[in-house]
Amino acid sequence: MSGPAGRWLKLAFGLGMTAGFAWLLSRGLDRDGLSRALAEVTALPLVVALAFLGSGWTIRIIRWWWMLRLMDPGLPLRSCAGPFLAGMAINNLVPLRAGDVARVLAFRRQLRSSIPRLAGTLVFERALDIVVLAGILQIGLLGLPDGTLPPGFVTMARWLAGTGVAAIVVLPFAPLLGRIRLAGPVRRFFAGRRFFAGRRMPEALAIYRDKPQTVLVLLGFSLVAWAFEGAAFAMVAGAVQHGAAPGAAWFAVATSTLATVIPSSPGYVGTFDYFAARGLVAYGASPEGAAAFALTIHAVLWVSSTAAGLPWIVRLGLLKRARRETRTPPDAVGGA
C-alpha cells in the first residue's frame, strides 16, 4: 500500500509494535527493583561508553568513505562525517528509517555521487553489519539452551545472515545480469525501481568484484566498529547491577541491534529495549537489572547519536526534507 494511507498504516503498525514490546519488557517487573537498579547506575562508565561509541562511529564513517572513494578517489573524509551523523539522528526522530533515505538523497552534491551509487554503498554497509551481528549472535547462542530467545527471532536472524552473505557475494556480480538471457524478468523488475535504474548502481557494486580485497578491508572495518560498540555496551553493563555472566553485553549488542529491523517507532523504542534485556537475561541477569541496562544503553545511544547529528540537521533543514522523502522510500535502503 502506498500514498498517505499506506504511510499512516506503517506508522500505526510501528507504534503498535513499540507498545507491544514495551509491555513485554515491563511485564512482571518489580518496579521498585527497577528503580533501585537505575538509581545505582554510575556515571564514569557511561562517559567511557560514549568514547567507545564515538570511536565506532568514526570507523563507520571511514568505512563509508572507503567505499565512496573507490568511485571518487579525491573525496575528502570530512565530506562523509556530516551525512553519516545526520542520518543516525534522523532515524532517531523520524519514522520509516528516514535517516537512511536522507543519506542517499540529501547529500548527493557534498558526496559528489549519484543516488544509485550512494544506495549501493548503503546496501553493502547493511550487509556487512548484518553478517557481523549474526556471527556474534551465533557465538553467543553456543551453550545456551533452546528457547533462550524467541525461535522466530533466531530464525529471522539466520535469514538476515544468509541474506547478508548473499548480498556480499552476489551483488558485486549485478552487472553480469545483463549478459544472462534468463535474467530478463529480473532486469525488468530492477529497472522499475528508482534506486536500481540505470547502470550506476551495478557499476558501483562491480568495484567490489573487481577488487575482492576491498571486501576484506570493509569487513575488517565492520569488525572493529562493532568491537567498539560492544565495548560501549560492556561499559554500560558494568555500570548496572544485573548479575549476568561475562559476555552478556556483547550478546545483547547482537540481539538488540538485529531487532531494529522490526518495524517500530523512531529510535527503535521497544524492540531494541526488549531484546537488549533478553540478551542479558539469557546470561543470568535479573529481569530488573536487564531492563535497567536496556533503558540505560538505549538512552546513551539515542542522546549521543542525536546530539552528534543534530547540528547537521539544523544546518540543512533536513527534518522537513526527511519527512517528505519518506513518502517514497527507496527500495534499496534498510537493514540493521
Side-chain angles (χ1 to χ4, degrees):
M1 182 181 295
S2 59
R7 293 195 302 274
W8 281 107
L9 182 60
K10 291 176 183 177
L11 178 59
F13 180 75
L15 292 175
M17 294 292 282
T18 287
F21 279 104
W23 176 79
L24 288 173
L25 177 65
S26 62
R27 184 181 56 174
L29 285 182
D30 176 1
R31 305 299 172 84
D32 292 336
L34 175 60
S35 297
R36 287 194 297 271
L38 289 171
E40 292 172 358
V41 173
T42 52
L44 181 58
L46 304 186
V47 175
V48 179
L50 288 173
F52 281 129
L53 287 174
S55 300
W57 298 337
T58 301
I59 297 299
R60 294 176 195 279
I61 291 167
I62 294 172
R63 179 182 65 177
W64 192 29
W65 170 70
W66 192 279
M67 295 184 194
L68 291 172
R69 68 190 290 268
L70 293 172
M71 295 164 279
D72 181 1
L75 181 69
L77 175 60
R78 63 179 179 274
S79 296
C80 300
F84 181 88
L85 296 173
M88 286 198 307
I90 292 172
N91 276 339
N92 291 340
L93 300 169
V94 181
L96 305 178
R97 300 198 73 95
D100 294 345
V101 180
R103 279 177 62 183
V104 173
L105 298 182
F107 297 101
R108 299 193 298 277
R109 291 185 179 178
Q110 178 174 331
L111 296 170
R112 305 193 314 217
S113 191
S114 65
I115 290 175
R117 285 179 176 175
L118 290 172
T121 62
L122 217 62
V123 169
F124 219 76
E125 178 183 290
R126 292 291 182 264
L128 290 164
D129 287 338
I130 286 172
V131 168
V132 173
L133 287 168
I136 295 172
L137 182 74
Q138 288 301 122
I139 293 172
L141 285 171
L142 295 176
L144 293 179
D146 293 338
T148 300
L149 294 177
F153 178 81
V154 176
T155 300
M156 178 196 74
R158 288 172 177 166
W159 274 101
L160 286 173
T163 302
V165 171
I168 293 171
V169 173
V170 174
L171 282 177
F173 293 89
L176 299 182
L177 290 176
R179 304 177 186 176
I180 303 175
R181 182 175 300 176
L182 295 178
V186 177
R187 293 200 310 276
R188 287 194 293 274
F189 172 82
F190 284 126
R193 295 304 190 268
R194 179 180 179 185
F195 274 65
F196 286 90
R199 299 179 56 85
R200 288 180 177 177
M201 184 171 183
E203 287 173 355
L205 292 169
I207 292 173
Y208 307 113
R209 183 199 69 212
D210 298 334
K211 298 181 179 180
Q213 68 275 14
T214 299
V215 176
L216 297 178
V217 173
L218 296 175
L219 184 59
F221 281 135
S222 304
L223 290 168
V224 174
W226 285 109
F228 276 123
E229 190 137 342
F233 272 61
M235 293 305 302
V236 173
V240 178
Q241 300 299 319
H242 51 72
W250 294 84
F251 187 56
V253 173
T255 57
S256 61
T257 310
L258 287 171
T260 62
V261 305
I262 302 171
S264 64
S265 62
Y268 322 111
V269 177
T271 52
F272 178 97
D273 308 275
Y274 174 73
F275 282 101
R278 286 295 297 261
L280 242 64
V281 169
Y283 275 77
S286 66
E288 292 75 23
F293 162 79
L295 295 174
T296 303
I297 185 61
H298 200 169
V300 169
L301 283 167
W302 192 93
V303 171
S304 59
S305 58
T306 302
L310 198 57
W312 283 90
I313 293 174
V314 173
R315 176 182 174 184
L316 299 175
L318 287 180
L319 277 181
K320 184 182 296 184
R321 294 170 63 180
R323 293 192 188 100
R324 183 172 63 250
E325 296 297 351
T326 56
R327 296 175 185 175
T328 54
D331 297 298
V333 179

